[in-house]
PDB file of all heavy atoms in Angstrom:
ATOM      1  N   ARG A   1    -185.976 101.175 201.431  1.00 98.00           N
ATOM      2  CA  ARG A   1    -184.898 100.287 201.853  1.00 98.00           C
ATOM      3  C   ARG A   1    -184.234  99.630 200.595  1.00 98.00           C
ATOM      4  O   ARG A   1    -183.007  99.531 200.615  1.00 98.00           O
ATOM      5  CB  ARG A   1    -185.508  99.238 202.824  1.00 98.00           C
ATOM      6  CG  ARG A   1    -184.486  98.133 203.314  1.00 98.00           C
ATOM      7  CD  ARG A   1    -183.472  98.644 204.279  1.00 98.00           C
ATOM      8  NE  ARG A   1    -182.726  97.583 204.785  1.00 98.00           N
ATOM      9  CZ  ARG A   1    -181.433  97.604 205.003  1.00 98.00           C
ATOM     10  NH1 ARG A   1    -180.810  98.716 204.724  1.00 98.00           N
ATOM     11  NH2 ARG A   1    -180.748  96.646 205.494  1.00 98.00           N
ATOM     12  N   LEU A   2    -185.101  99.126 199.657  1.00 98.00           N
ATOM     13  CA  LEU A   2    -184.545  98.573 198.445  1.00 98.00           C
ATOM     14  C   LEU A   2    -183.646  99.604 197.645  1.00 98.00           C
ATOM     15  O   LEU A   2    -182.618  99.187 197.160  1.00 98.00           O
ATOM     16  CB  LEU A   2    -185.624  98.015 197.512  1.00 98.00           C
ATOM     17  CG  LEU A   2    -186.371  96.785 198.069  1.00 98.00           C
ATOM     18  CD1 LEU A   2    -187.586  96.599 197.352  1.00 98.00           C
ATOM     19  CD2 LEU A   2    -185.332  95.581 197.971  1.00 98.00           C
ATOM     20  N   GLU A   3    -184.163 100.789 197.574  1.00 98.00           N
ATOM     21  CA  GLU A   3    -183.420 101.894 196.904  1.00 98.00           C
ATOM     22  C   GLU A   3    -182.122 102.157 197.540  1.00 98.00           C
ATOM     23  O   GLU A   3    -181.084 102.302 196.923  1.00 98.00           O
ATOM     24  CB  GLU A   3    -184.254 103.065 196.783  1.00 98.00           C
ATOM     25  CG  GLU A   3    -185.347 102.938 195.654  1.00 98.00           C
ATOM     26  CD  GLU A   3    -186.271 104.194 195.624  1.00 98.00           C
ATOM     27  OE1 GLU A   3    -186.345 105.057 196.566  1.00 98.00           O
ATOM     28  OE2 GLU A   3    -186.939 104.212 194.565  1.00 98.00           O
ATOM     29  N   SER A   4    -182.031 102.050 198.862  1.00 98.00           N
ATOM     30  CA  SER A   4    -180.793 102.274 199.613  1.00 98.00           C
ATOM     31  C   SER A   4    -179.813 101.089 199.438  1.00 98.00           C
ATOM     32  O   SER A   4    -178.719 101.405 199.586  1.00 98.00           O
ATOM     33  CB  SER A   4    -181.093 102.482 201.124  1.00 98.00           C
ATOM     34  OG  SER A   4    -181.329 101.202 201.811  1.00 98.00           O
ATOM     35  N   ARG A   5    -180.347 100.052 199.033  1.00 98.00           N
ATOM     36  CA  ARG A   5    -179.538  98.868 198.731  1.00 98.00           C
ATOM     37  C   ARG A   5    -179.274  98.689 197.175  1.00 98.00           C
ATOM     38  O   ARG A   5    -178.959  97.677 196.678  1.00 98.00           O
ATOM     39  CB  ARG A   5    -180.162  97.598 199.226  1.00 98.00           C
ATOM     40  CG  ARG A   5    -180.359  97.646 200.763  1.00 98.00           C
ATOM     41  CD  ARG A   5    -180.961  96.522 201.406  1.00 98.00           C
ATOM     42  NE  ARG A   5    -180.333  95.155 201.051  1.00 98.00           N
ATOM     43  CZ  ARG A   5    -179.172  94.895 201.776  1.00 98.00           C
ATOM     44  NH1 ARG A   5    -178.610  95.658 202.594  1.00 98.00           N
ATOM     45  NH2 ARG A   5    -178.576  93.668 201.467  1.00 98.00           N
ATOM     46  N   ASN A   6    -179.386  99.866 196.407  1.00 98.00           N
ATOM     47  CA  ASN A   6    -179.051  99.923 195.058  1.00 98.00           C
ATOM     48  C   ASN A   6    -179.900  99.172 194.141  1.00 98.00           C
ATOM     49  O   ASN A   6    -179.507  98.437 193.117  1.00 98.00           O
ATOM     50  CB  ASN A   6    -177.552  99.492 194.723  1.00 98.00           C
ATOM     51  CG  ASN A   6    -177.014  99.976 193.467  1.00 98.00           C
ATOM     52  OD1 ASN A   6    -177.257 101.118 193.143  1.00 98.00           O
ATOM     53  ND2 ASN A   6    -176.170  99.245 192.862  1.00 98.00           N
ATOM     54  N   CYS A   7    -181.187  99.137 194.466  1.00 98.00           N
ATOM     55  CA  CYS A   7    -182.274  98.427 193.675  1.00 98.00           C
ATOM     56  C   CYS A   7    -183.075  99.542 192.910  1.00 98.00           C
ATOM     57  O   CYS A   7    -183.378 100.599 193.517  1.00 98.00           O
ATOM     58  CB  CYS A   7    -183.173  97.563 194.540  1.00 98.00           C
ATOM     59  SG  CYS A   7    -182.248  96.230 195.282  1.00 98.00           S
ATOM     60  N   THR A   8    -183.590  99.171 191.685  1.00 98.00           N
ATOM     61  CA  THR A   8    -184.271 100.081 190.899  1.00 98.00           C
ATOM     62  C   THR A   8    -185.467  99.301 190.348  1.00 98.00           C
ATOM     63  O   THR A   8    -185.418  98.106 190.162  1.00 98.00           O
ATOM     64  CB  THR A   8    -183.497 100.705 189.770  1.00 98.00           C
ATOM     65  OG1 THR A   8    -183.037  99.708 188.978  1.00 98.00           O
ATOM     66  CG2 THR A   8    -182.332 101.562 190.378  1.00 98.00           C
ATOM     67  N   ALA A   9    -186.452 100.121 189.852  1.00 98.00           N
ATOM     68  CA  ALA A   9    -187.758  99.432 189.291  1.00 98.00           C
ATOM     69  C   ALA A   9    -188.248 100.476 188.275  1.00 98.00           C
ATOM     70  O   ALA A   9    -188.179 101.607 188.502  1.00 98.00           O
ATOM     71  CB  ALA A   9    -188.721  99.025 190.260  1.00 98.00           C
ATOM     72  N   ASP A  10    -188.709  99.969 187.125  1.00 98.00           N
ATOM     73  CA  ASP A  10    -189.371 100.844 186.161  1.00 98.00           C
ATOM     74  C   ASP A  10    -190.646 101.470 186.849  1.00 98.00           C
ATOM     75  O   ASP A  10    -190.824 102.647 186.644  1.00 98.00           O
ATOM     76  CB  ASP A  10    -189.851 100.033 184.966  1.00 98.00           C
ATOM     77  CG  ASP A  10    -188.605  99.660 184.069  1.00 98.00           C
ATOM     78  OD1 ASP A  10    -187.533 100.314 184.230  1.00 98.00           O
ATOM     79  OD2 ASP A  10    -188.788  98.660 183.259  1.00 98.00           O
ATOM     80  N   ASP A  11    -191.254 100.636 187.729  1.00 98.00           N
ATOM     81  CA  ASP A  11    -192.437 101.135 188.360  1.00 98.00           C
ATOM     82  C   ASP A  11    -192.539 100.136 189.599  1.00 98.00           C
ATOM     83  O   ASP A  11    -192.834  99.004 189.515  1.00 98.00           O
ATOM     84  CB  ASP A  11    -193.674 101.011 187.500  1.00 98.00           C
ATOM     85  CG  ASP A  11    -194.949 101.585 188.199  1.00 98.00           C
ATOM     86  OD1 ASP A  11    -194.989 101.699 189.462  1.00 98.00           O
ATOM     87  OD2 ASP A  11    -195.961 101.805 187.425  1.00 98.00           O
ATOM     88  N   TRP A  12    -192.351 100.762 190.804  1.00 98.00           N
ATOM     89  CA  TRP A  12    -192.484  99.950 192.038  1.00 98.00           C
ATOM     90  C   TRP A  12    -193.843  99.315 192.163  1.00 98.00           C
ATOM     91  O   TRP A  12    -193.976  98.349 192.888  1.00 98.00           O
ATOM     92  CB  TRP A  12    -192.080 100.873 193.156  1.00 98.00           C
ATOM     93  CG  TRP A  12    -190.597 101.056 193.272  1.00 98.00           C
ATOM     94  CD1 TRP A  12    -190.029 102.356 193.216  1.00 98.00           C
ATOM     95  CD2 TRP A  12    -189.607 100.155 193.550  1.00 98.00           C
ATOM     96  NE1 TRP A  12    -188.520 102.092 193.352  1.00 98.00           N
ATOM     97  CE2 TRP A  12    -188.351 100.769 193.545  1.00 98.00           C
ATOM     98  CE3 TRP A  12    -189.530  98.783 193.726  1.00 98.00           C
ATOM     99  CZ2 TRP A  12    -187.029 100.270 193.756  1.00 98.00           C
ATOM    100  CZ3 TRP A  12    -188.316  98.172 194.065  1.00 98.00           C
ATOM    101  CH2 TRP A  12    -187.087  98.923 193.992  1.00 98.00           C
ATOM    102  N   ASN A  13    -194.863  99.846 191.574  1.00 98.00           N
ATOM    103  CA  ASN A  13    -196.195  99.237 191.707  1.00 98.00           C
ATOM    104  C   ASN A  13    -196.296  97.942 191.004  1.00 98.00           C
ATOM    105  O   ASN A  13    -197.176  97.063 191.235  1.00 98.00           O
ATOM    106  CB  ASN A  13    -197.306 100.234 191.152  1.00 98.00           C
ATOM    107  CG  ASN A  13    -197.559 101.446 191.955  1.00 98.00           C
ATOM    108  OD1 ASN A  13    -197.550 101.273 193.197  1.00 98.00           O
ATOM    109  ND2 ASN A  13    -197.525 102.526 191.282  1.00 98.00           N
ATOM    110  N   ASP A  14    -195.400  97.654 190.082  1.00 98.00           N
ATOM    111  CA  ASP A  14    -195.282  96.327 189.361  1.00 98.00           C
ATOM    112  C   ASP A  14    -194.537  95.284 190.012  1.00 98.00           C
ATOM    113  O   ASP A  14    -194.352  94.158 189.569  1.00 98.00           O
ATOM    114  CB  ASP A  14    -194.674  96.587 187.871  1.00 98.00           C
ATOM    115  CG  ASP A  14    -195.711  97.382 187.041  1.00 98.00           C
ATOM    116  OD1 ASP A  14    -196.909  97.347 187.328  1.00 98.00           O
ATOM    117  OD2 ASP A  14    -195.077  98.054 186.108  1.00 98.00           O
ATOM    118  N   VAL A  15    -193.897  95.708 191.195  1.00 98.00           N
ATOM    119  CA  VAL A  15    -193.149  94.728 192.073  1.00 98.00           C
ATOM    120  C   VAL A  15    -193.966  94.354 193.120  1.00 98.00           C
ATOM    121  O   VAL A  15    -194.356  95.120 194.066  1.00 98.00           O
ATOM    122  CB  VAL A  15    -191.715  95.396 192.604  1.00 98.00           C
ATOM    123  CG1 VAL A  15    -191.011  94.315 193.469  1.00 98.00           C
ATOM    124  CG2 VAL A  15    -190.926  95.850 191.320  1.00 98.00           C
ATOM    125  N   LEU A  16    -194.406  93.065 193.177  1.00 98.00           N
ATOM    126  CA  LEU A  16    -195.289  92.512 194.244  1.00 98.00           C
ATOM    127  C   LEU A  16    -194.485  91.530 195.085  1.00 98.00           C
ATOM    128  O   LEU A  16    -193.523  90.805 194.550  1.00 98.00           O
ATOM    129  CB  LEU A  16    -196.443  91.729 193.539  1.00 98.00           C
ATOM    130  CG  LEU A  16    -197.210  92.602 192.509  1.00 98.00           C
ATOM    131  CD1 LEU A  16    -198.329  91.734 191.798  1.00 98.00           C
ATOM    132  CD2 LEU A  16    -197.929  93.751 193.278  1.00 98.00           C
ATOM    133  N   VAL A  17    -194.864  91.527 196.215  1.00 98.00           N
ATOM    134  CA  VAL A  17    -194.157  90.616 197.301  1.00 98.00           C
ATOM    135  C   VAL A  17    -195.045  89.767 198.071  1.00 98.00           C
ATOM    136  O   VAL A  17    -196.208  90.104 198.319  1.00 98.00           O
ATOM    137  CB  VAL A  17    -193.190  91.577 198.155  1.00 98.00           C
ATOM    138  CG1 VAL A  17    -192.147  92.188 197.364  1.00 98.00           C
ATOM    139  CG2 VAL A  17    -194.003  92.499 198.977  1.00 98.00           C
ATOM    140  N   ALA A  18    -194.511  88.669 198.605  1.00 97.00           N
ATOM    141  CA  ALA A  18    -195.277  87.775 199.621  1.00 97.00           C
ATOM    142  C   ALA A  18    -195.453  88.538 200.844  1.00 97.00           C
ATOM    143  O   ALA A  18    -194.745  89.570 201.154  1.00 97.00           O
ATOM    144  CB  ALA A  18    -194.327  86.608 199.883  1.00 97.00           C
ATOM    145  N   GLU A  19    -196.402  88.102 201.547  1.00 95.00           N
ATOM    146  CA  GLU A  19    -196.937  88.897 202.763  1.00 95.00           C
ATOM    147  C   GLU A  19    -195.715  89.127 203.766  1.00 95.00           C
ATOM    148  O   GLU A  19    -195.688  90.204 204.333  1.00 95.00           O
ATOM    149  CB  GLU A  19    -198.120  88.086 203.495  1.00 95.00           C
ATOM    150  CG  GLU A  19    -198.538  88.864 204.634  1.00 95.00           C
ATOM    151  CD  GLU A  19    -199.191  90.314 204.295  1.00 95.00           C
ATOM    152  OE1 GLU A  19    -199.703  90.332 203.165  1.00 95.00           O
ATOM    153  OE2 GLU A  19    -198.953  91.190 205.114  1.00 95.00           O
ATOM    154  N   ASN A  20    -194.855  88.168 204.021  1.00 96.00           N
ATOM    155  CA  ASN A  20    -193.862  88.220 205.007  1.00 96.00           C
ATOM    156  C   ASN A  20    -192.456  88.799 204.380  1.00 96.00           C
ATOM    157  O   ASN A  20    -191.371  88.532 205.094  1.00 96.00           O
ATOM    158  CB  ASN A  20    -193.695  86.949 205.814  1.00 96.00           C
ATOM    159  CG  ASN A  20    -194.886  86.654 206.654  1.00 96.00           C
ATOM    160  OD1 ASN A  20    -195.493  87.630 207.281  1.00 96.00           O
ATOM    161  ND2 ASN A  20    -195.313  85.439 206.706  1.00 96.00           N
ATOM    162  N   PHE A  21    -192.556  89.328 203.240  1.00 98.00           N
ATOM    163  CA  PHE A  21    -191.208  89.794 202.656  1.00 98.00           C
ATOM    164  C   PHE A  21    -190.629  90.785 203.414  1.00 98.00           C
ATOM    165  O   PHE A  21    -191.144  91.667 204.039  1.00 98.00           O
ATOM    166  CB  PHE A  21    -191.574  90.350 201.217  1.00 98.00           C
ATOM    167  CG  PHE A  21    -190.499  91.002 200.573  1.00 98.00           C
ATOM    168  CD1 PHE A  21    -189.601  90.260 199.710  1.00 98.00           C
ATOM    169  CD2 PHE A  21    -190.346  92.395 200.628  1.00 98.00           C
ATOM    170  CE1 PHE A  21    -188.565  90.827 199.130  1.00 98.00           C
ATOM    171  CE2 PHE A  21    -189.258  93.074 199.933  1.00 98.00           C
ATOM    172  CZ  PHE A  21    -188.359  92.254 199.194  1.00 98.00           C
ATOM    173  N   ARG A  22    -189.222  90.710 203.438  1.00 96.00           N
ATOM    174  CA  ARG A  22    -188.401  91.793 204.033  1.00 96.00           C
ATOM    175  C   ARG A  22    -187.201  91.998 203.019  1.00 96.00           C
ATOM    176  O   ARG A  22    -186.605  91.112 202.461  1.00 96.00           O
ATOM    177  CB  ARG A  22    -187.750  91.206 205.265  1.00 96.00           C
ATOM    178  CG  ARG A  22    -188.728  91.036 206.427  1.00 96.00           C
ATOM    179  CD  ARG A  22    -188.095  90.552 207.859  1.00 96.00           C
ATOM    180  NE  ARG A  22    -186.753  90.843 207.910  1.00 96.00           N
ATOM    181  CZ  ARG A  22    -185.787  89.894 208.418  1.00 96.00           C
ATOM    182  NH1 ARG A  22    -186.251  88.710 208.796  1.00 96.00           N
ATOM    183  NH2 ARG A  22    -184.585  90.138 208.513  1.00 96.00           N
ATOM    184  N   PRO A  23    -186.932  93.271 202.838  1.00 98.00           N
ATOM    185  CA  PRO A  23    -186.013  93.603 201.814  1.00 98.00           C
ATOM    186  C   PRO A  23    -184.540  93.501 202.154  1.00 98.00           C
ATOM    187  O   PRO A  23    -183.645  93.823 201.404  1.00 98.00           O
ATOM    188  CB  PRO A  23    -186.307  94.960 201.492  1.00 98.00           C
ATOM    189  CG  PRO A  23    -186.882  95.593 202.743  1.00 98.00           C
ATOM    190  CD  PRO A  23    -187.631  94.459 203.427  1.00 98.00           C
ATOM    191  N   ASP A  24    -184.253  92.873 203.267  1.00 97.00           N
ATOM    192  CA  ASP A  24    -182.884  92.938 203.847  1.00 97.00           C
ATOM    193  C   ASP A  24    -181.891  91.917 202.998  1.00 97.00           C
ATOM    194  O   ASP A  24    -180.734  92.217 203.002  1.00 97.00           O
ATOM    195  CB  ASP A  24    -182.872  92.250 205.204  1.00 97.00           C
ATOM    196  CG  ASP A  24    -183.653  93.034 206.190  1.00 97.00           C
ATOM    197  OD1 ASP A  24    -183.919  94.261 205.931  1.00 97.00           O
ATOM    198  OD2 ASP A  24    -184.138  92.535 207.226  1.00 97.00           O
ATOM    199  N   TYR A  25    -182.488  90.956 202.182  1.00 97.00           N
ATOM    200  CA  TYR A  25    -181.524  90.217 201.481  1.00 97.00           C
ATOM    201  C   TYR A  25    -181.742  90.468 199.845  1.00 97.00           C
ATOM    202  O   TYR A  25    -181.496  89.538 199.098  1.00 97.00           O
ATOM    203  CB  TYR A  25    -181.758  88.698 201.768  1.00 97.00           C
ATOM    204  CG  TYR A  25    -181.380  88.495 203.280  1.00 97.00           C
ATOM    205  CD1 TYR A  25    -182.424  88.425 204.312  1.00 97.00           C
ATOM    206  CD2 TYR A  25    -180.000  88.324 203.652  1.00 97.00           C
ATOM    207  CE1 TYR A  25    -182.008  88.223 205.475  1.00 97.00           C
ATOM    208  CE2 TYR A  25    -179.661  88.247 204.891  1.00 97.00           C
ATOM    209  CZ  TYR A  25    -180.655  88.207 205.938  1.00 97.00           C
ATOM    210  OH  TYR A  25    -180.328  87.984 207.191  1.00 97.00           O
ATOM    211  N   VAL A  26    -182.064  91.681 199.579  1.00 98.00           N
ATOM    212  CA  VAL A  26    -182.173  92.055 198.091  1.00 98.00           C
ATOM    213  C   VAL A  26    -181.320  93.188 198.003  1.00 98.00           C
ATOM    214  O   VAL A  26    -181.376  94.214 198.632  1.00 98.00           O
ATOM    215  CB  VAL A  26    -183.589  92.360 197.733  1.00 98.00           C
ATOM    216  CG1 VAL A  26    -183.753  92.860 196.208  1.00 98.00           C
ATOM    217  CG2 VAL A  26    -184.608  91.242 198.103  1.00 98.00           C
ATOM    218  N   GLN A  27    -180.292  93.102 196.991  1.00 98.00           N
ATOM    219  CA  GLN A  27    -179.259  94.105 196.861  1.00 98.00           C
ATOM    220  C   GLN A  27    -178.913  94.116 195.307  1.00 98.00           C
ATOM    221  O   GLN A  27    -178.797  93.128 194.669  1.00 98.00           O
ATOM    222  CB  GLN A  27    -178.006  93.665 197.657  1.00 98.00           C
ATOM    223  CG  GLN A  27    -176.948  94.729 197.506  1.00 98.00           C
ATOM    224  CD  GLN A  27    -175.807  94.290 198.570  1.00 98.00           C
ATOM    225  OE1 GLN A  27    -175.995  93.741 199.546  1.00 98.00           O
ATOM    226  NE2 GLN A  27    -174.655  94.567 198.077  1.00 98.00           N
ATOM    227  N   SER A  28    -178.713  95.399 194.871  1.00 98.00           N
ATOM    228  CA  SER A  28    -178.337  95.553 193.495  1.00 98.00           C
ATOM    229  C   SER A  28    -179.017  94.839 192.398  1.00 98.00           C
ATOM    230  O   SER A  28    -178.579  94.021 191.705  1.00 98.00           O
ATOM    231  CB  SER A  28    -176.759  95.283 193.420  1.00 98.00           C
ATOM    232  OG  SER A  28    -176.017  96.070 194.227  1.00 98.00           O
ATOM    233  N   ALA A  29    -180.382  95.054 192.533  1.00 98.00           N
ATOM    234  CA  ALA A  29    -181.342  94.372 191.621  1.00 98.00           C
ATOM    235  C   ALA A  29    -182.065  95.463 190.754  1.00 98.00           C
ATOM    236  O   ALA A  29    -182.429  96.474 191.272  1.00 98.00           O
ATOM    237  CB  ALA A  29    -182.287  93.514 192.280  1.00 98.00           C
ATOM    238  N   GLU A  30    -182.347  95.114 189.553  1.00 98.00           N
ATOM    239  CA  GLU A  30    -183.276  95.935 188.626  1.00 98.00           C
ATOM    240  C   GLU A  30    -184.484  95.088 188.334  1.00 98.00           C
ATOM    241  O   GLU A  30    -184.451  93.917 188.003  1.00 98.00           O
ATOM    242  CB  GLU A  30    -182.508  96.194 187.260  1.00 98.00           C
ATOM    243  CG  GLU A  30    -181.347  97.063 187.478  1.00 98.00           C
ATOM    244  CD  GLU A  30    -180.791  97.311 186.052  1.00 98.00           C
ATOM    245  OE1 GLU A  30    -181.521  97.383 185.086  1.00 98.00           O
ATOM    246  OE2 GLU A  30    -179.554  97.478 185.902  1.00 98.00           O
ATOM    247  N   PHE A  31    -185.646  95.800 188.331  1.00 98.00           N
ATOM    248  CA  PHE A  31    -186.829  95.133 188.256  1.00 98.00           C
ATOM    249  C   PHE A  31    -187.599  95.779 187.139  1.00 98.00           C
ATOM    250  O   PHE A  31    -187.908  97.016 187.146  1.00 98.00           O
ATOM    251  CB  PHE A  31    -187.748  95.124 189.432  1.00 98.00           C
ATOM    252  CG  PHE A  31    -187.115  94.572 190.713  1.00 98.00           C
ATOM    253  CD1 PHE A  31    -186.678  95.324 191.741  1.00 98.00           C
ATOM    254  CD2 PHE A  31    -186.928  93.282 190.704  1.00 98.00           C
ATOM    255  CE1 PHE A  31    -186.101  94.719 192.880  1.00 98.00           C
ATOM    256  CE2 PHE A  31    -186.226  92.591 191.790  1.00 98.00           C
ATOM    257  CZ  PHE A  31    -185.808  93.432 192.834  1.00 98.00           C
ATOM    258  N   HIS A  32    -187.972  94.967 186.023  1.00 98.00           N
ATOM    259  CA  HIS A  32    -188.632  95.555 184.846  1.00 98.00           C
ATOM    260  C   HIS A  32    -189.861  94.695 184.588  1.00 98.00           C
ATOM    261  O   HIS A  32    -189.841  93.513 184.815  1.00 98.00           O
ATOM    262  CB  HIS A  32    -187.875  95.483 183.680  1.00 98.00           C
ATOM    263  CG  HIS A  32    -186.492  96.211 183.844  1.00 98.00           C
ATOM    264  ND1 HIS A  32    -186.335  97.473 183.628  1.00 98.00           N
ATOM    265  CD2 HIS A  32    -185.220  95.729 184.131  1.00 98.00           C
ATOM    266  CE1 HIS A  32    -185.060  97.880 183.849  1.00 98.00           C
ATOM    267  NE2 HIS A  32    -184.389  96.792 184.166  1.00 98.00           N
ATOM    268  N   GLY A  33    -191.021  95.359 184.232  1.00 98.00           N
ATOM    269  CA  GLY A  33    -192.265  94.519 184.008  1.00 98.00           C
ATOM    270  C   GLY A  33    -192.847  94.074 185.367  1.00 98.00           C
ATOM    271  O   GLY A  33    -192.449  94.695 186.410  1.00 98.00           O
ATOM    272  N   THR A  34    -193.573  93.101 185.381  1.00 98.00           N
ATOM    273  CA  THR A  34    -194.268  92.492 186.598  1.00 98.00           C
ATOM    274  C   THR A  34    -193.232  91.594 187.220  1.00 98.00           C
ATOM    275  O   THR A  34    -192.880  90.542 186.590  1.00 98.00           O
ATOM    276  CB  THR A  34    -195.559  91.794 186.299  1.00 98.00           C
ATOM    277  OG1 THR A  34    -196.283  92.871 185.757  1.00 98.00           O
ATOM    278  CG2 THR A  34    -196.207  91.369 187.631  1.00 98.00           C
ATOM    279  N   VAL A  35    -192.874  91.760 188.432  1.00 98.00           N
ATOM    280  CA  VAL A  35    -191.910  90.907 189.205  1.00 98.00           C
ATOM    281  C   VAL A  35    -192.589  90.622 190.419  1.00 98.00           C
ATOM    282  O   VAL A  35    -193.155  91.417 191.222  1.00 98.00           O
ATOM    283  CB  VAL A  35    -190.614  91.612 189.409  1.00 98.00           C
ATOM    284  CG1 VAL A  35    -189.711  90.784 190.289  1.00 98.00           C
ATOM    285  CG2 VAL A  35    -189.894  91.982 188.193  1.00 98.00           C
ATOM    286  N   LYS A  36    -192.662  89.298 190.799  1.00 98.00           N
ATOM    287  CA  LYS A  36    -193.178  88.755 192.100  1.00 98.00           C
ATOM    288  C   LYS A  36    -192.072  88.149 192.958  1.00 98.00           C
ATOM    289  O   LYS A  36    -191.445  87.286 192.370  1.00 98.00           O
ATOM    290  CB  LYS A  36    -194.270  87.801 191.755  1.00 98.00           C
ATOM    291  CG  LYS A  36    -195.517  88.394 191.137  1.00 98.00           C
ATOM    292  CD  LYS A  36    -196.519  87.345 190.795  1.00 98.00           C
ATOM    293  CE  LYS A  36    -197.696  87.940 190.107  1.00 98.00           C
ATOM    294  NZ  LYS A  36    -198.764  86.934 189.919  1.00 98.00           N
TER     295      LYS A  36
END
């Protein structure tokens, strides 16, 4: 879903989210390093 919304990550394993996270309001974002 994030990739379909133009989001990228160096490593998706380094992107951590809160338990009730929904990707609906994340768009055109780049994630590098550890991101919470």
